[in-house]
Amino acid sequence: MSVVIVGTQWGDEGKGKIVDLVTERFDVVARYQGGHNAGHTVILKGKKYVLHLIPSGILHPEKACVIGNGVVLDPFALVEEFKFLEEQGIELEGRLLISNRCHLIMPYHTALEAAEEKRLDKNKIGTTSRGIGPCYEDKMGRRGIRLDELFMPEVFAQRVRDNVAFKNQILTRVYGWKPLDADEIVDRYQALVPTIRPYVADTSDYLNQVIREGKRVLFEGAQGTLLDVDHGTYPFVTSSNATAGGACIGTGVAPSEIRGVIGISKAYTTRVGEGPFPTELNNEIGEKIRDRGQEYGASTGRPRRCGWFDGVVVRYAAQINGLSTLVITKLDVLDDLDEILICTGYRYRGQLLEHFPTTIQVLAEVEPVYESHPGWKEDTSTIKDYRDLPEAARRYLDRLSELVETDISIISTGPDREETIVLEESPRLQKMFA
Ligand code: IMP
């Protein structure tokens, strides 16, 4: 039995906390795409953990974690995360498996990304500068270097030399940047082999085996639906499939094994990086939300752009991901607002749009259609039962659910695990966890 958790907006929906919360119902947690561009923050007993590559399930001693083939791996970022977890006394051996099919992020990926973002200037994507896009480019271009090749020293050295010779041409001739030294790269990567090797396996085989044994797997999506390379706001997207379908491709588990999809959405909207954002608030309400919600990137520290909840976006995400249920996070951030707006539709050149537009030029021009809701002006962070929420907050949540056409089953009202309302009686939730 497997369940996928996905972000329904532009990432940073608070997936880390929810994954952590539901992990107790699963045996294995698997990541299926992205890389260390992601930042999953979990607060456990008042202590903050930020993980970029390793699934947050690792914080639960009895769970196994998998980094699937769809993930692009920076081995230096991985080893840093090993160190961080070891310092926290968290045992990794026998609990973490990394796919031997993962593509390696190489120094030329980060260099090429920096050069390209500079060339794009004001049209830049606003990436996390981790080399993610160029690594996926090489994967699709069939020039990528996979983790299994790292363990064949001669093959690896040759592959790096060939690739560096080619990338140096681009770096120096196209961008006017300095060339890279292939041998230095080979040595640095080979030095990591003893640390990484014990964790590497055919994880597709492993996952299928545990599923056959009747164990439960949670697939943890990184980023969000609107950052998906196919279904997001292209080209202002990441370079992988962050939507639920990516879970199968990125782990080698069949769609028939997926029982449900949990979508995570903030009670409002945020985005980091460039690209259109119809409900963005460039005013003091946006700043208030940023301050109260501590809306700064977990990976890059960049301030996030903030705006009202966009019902068009999340309804679209519900369709693309086939959401079984919806989790609303950070409700408490709205606690002291007098008035809260919800975007129910878009108007484009006088016409009401029925669907989320596929073209960003259209998205950049749409005007959100808003409805106004009264604020509840009460602290929701200590509330444990849905029925104890202020009436205005319940009405707000009911309206979100209605617009997205999906049941809400979990509401998060603060960063700590304790600050959560779980609607245990939700039939969708029960069916998924049965
Ligand atoms: P990249 O993934 O570094 O290539 O960045 C592409 C776009 O995705 C940029 O707008 C980034 O800000 C955004 N992005 C990448 N990872 C995350 C994330 O974990 N949360 C939010 N935005 C992200």
Side-chain angles (χ1 to χ4, degrees):
M1 186 280 284
S2 309
V3 168
V4 187
I5 285 204
V6 287
T8 62
Q9 297 163 314
W10 278 280
D12 309 318
E13 296 91 353
K15 294 179 290 293
K17 170 178 162 171
I18 304 303
V19 169
D20 179 61
L21 191 79
V22 299
T23 292
E24 62 192 42
R25 307 188 193 231
F26 294 86
D27 303 292
V28 182
V29 184
R31 272 258 332 244
Y32 58 86
Q33 44 72 233
H36 64 312
N37 49 349
H40 290 169
T41 309
V42 180
I43 312 240
L44 258 180
K45 298 194 177 86
K47 194 170 159 75
K48 185 170 164 182
Y49 299 83
V50 183
L51 294 168
H52 300 282
L53 266 171
I54 300 176
S56 41
I58 206 76
L59 304 174
H60 297 251
E62 69 290 5
K63 309 292 171 187
C65 288
V66 168
I67 296 182
N69 57 276
V71 171
V72 287
L73 197 80
D74 181 324
F76 299 94
L78 180 73
V79 168
E80 227 165 84
E81 215 151 282
F82 283 178
K83 273 199 211 125
F84 168 73
L85 289 169
E86 277 157 21
E87 276 161 23
Q88 313 302 315
I90 293 165
E91 186 61 52
L92 296 177
E93 242 172 279
R95 301 183 48 219
L96 175 69
L97 288 179
I98 306 169
S99 169
N100 51 6
R101 292 185 175 92
C102 281
H103 278 249
L104 286 170
I105 298 182
M106 305 298 293
Y108 45 79
H109 293 136
T110 23
L112 285 165
E113 178 169 19
E116 178 61 7
E117 284 282 89
K118 191 150 188 280
R119 184 189 73 83
L120 287 169
D121 194 23
K122 60 179 192 325
N123 295 322
K124 70 175 194 285
I125 306 295
T127 68
T128 60
S129 316
R130 304 289 201 262
I132 306 290
C135 184
Y136 279 115
E137 273 180 54
D138 276 355
K139 172 177 174 171
M140 292 310 182
R142 295 163 295 186
R143 313 175 266 280
I145 302 179
R146 305 205 302 187
L147 193 48
D148 51 2
E149 287 173 303
L150 185 65
F151 309 122
M152 297 184 267
E154 275 151 39
V155 174
F156 182 73
Q158 196 52 48
R159 298 287 332 277
V160 174
R161 281 188 204 116
D162 289 347
N163 275 2
V164 169
F166 169 56
K167 302 295 183 183
N168 275 347
Q169 297 278 328
I170 305 173
L171 277 170
T172 56
R173 296 188 181 201
V174 177
Y175 293 110
W177 281 44
K178 282 199 209 121
L180 298 168
D181 178 347
D183 291 336
E184 184 265 339
I185 296 173
V186 170
D187 291 347
R188 279 201 300 128
Y189 276 65
Q190 283 297 319
L192 298 182
V193 164
T195 316
I196 296 179
R197 193 174 208 153
Y199 302 100
V200 179
D202 180 342
T203 51
S204 162
D205 206 39
Y206 166 78
L207 286 169
N208 282 293
Q209 174 68 28
V210 296
I211 289 171
R212 268 197 303 276
E213 286 166 11
K215 294 201 173 130
R216 295 155 185 252
V217 181
L218 178 66
F219 294 102
E220 174 180 357
Q223 289 88 42
T225 301
L226 276 290
L227 289 174
D228 182 284
V229 68
D230 283 278
H231 302 288
T233 46
Y234 192 89
F236 297 101
V237 290
T238 191
S239 299
S240 62
N241 287 113
T243 42
C248 296
I249 305 293
T251 58
V253 171
S256 48
E257 299 295 347
I258 311 278
R259 175 171 305 177
V261 182
I262 304 176
I264 319 285
S265 171
K266 272 180 189 157
Y268 48 94
T269 313
T270 64
R271 147 160 234 185
V272 264
E274 309 303 317
F277 176 1
T279 62
E280 182 167 14
L281 287 162
N282 283 313
N283 58 17
E284 72 271 22
I285 302 178
E287 277 162 33
K288 200 168 179 178
I289 292 176
R290 183 177 310 120
D291 277 357
R292 261 193 79 105
Q294 280 303 298
E295 295 296 355
Y296 298 90
S299 282
T300 59
R302 291 180 291 176
R304 295 179 185 139
R305 300 155 66 192
C306 299
W308 297 122
F309 183 90
D310 188 333
V312 186
V313 160
V314 185
R315 186 165 56 227
Y316 170 68
Q319 172 172 297
I320 296 286
N321 296 298
L323 294 190
S324 321
T325 188
L326 187 66
V327 174
I328 298 291
T329 62
K330 295 191 136 181
L331 184 72
D332 58 302
V333 172
L334 306 181
D335 279 355
D336 66 353
L337 295 182
D338 297 320
E339 183 196 24
I340 302 170
L341 302 191
I342 302 177
C343 168
T344 59
Y346 294 154
R347 209 178 291 287
Y348 177 66
R349 299 187 177 175
Q351 298 273 354
L352 201 61
L353 294 186
E354 301 264 323
H355 302 285
F356 186 76
T358 51
T359 316
I360 55 148
Q361 286 78 4
V362 175
L363 190 67
E365 244 190 77
V366 297
E367 284 168 43
V369 177
Y370 285 120
E371 63 183 32
S372 163
H373 288 251
W376 41 93
K377 310 278 283 178
E378 249 181 77
D379 177 13
T380 56
S381 66
T382 50
I383 296 173
K384 295 271 174 291
D385 193 314
Y386 182 78
R387 285 162 294 215
D388 295 335
L389 280 171
E391 201 192 329
R394 272 184 285 141
R395 268 207 242 113
Y396 180 71
L397 291 167
D398 286 348
R399 184 64 179 133
L400 302 192
S401 170
E402 185 180 52
L403 277 170
V404 178
E405 295 168 14
T406 310
D407 285 354
I408 295 172
S409 52
I410 300 178
I411 300 143
S412 167
T413 56
D416 211 279
R417 218 198 260 198
E418 304 304 312
E419 294 163 320
T420 316
I421 300 169
V422 182
L423 285 87
E424 293 286 354
E425 68 274 22
S426 155
R428 298 290 189 100
L429 206 59
Q430 282 183 359
K431 187 168 164 237
M432 237 185 318
F433 294 150

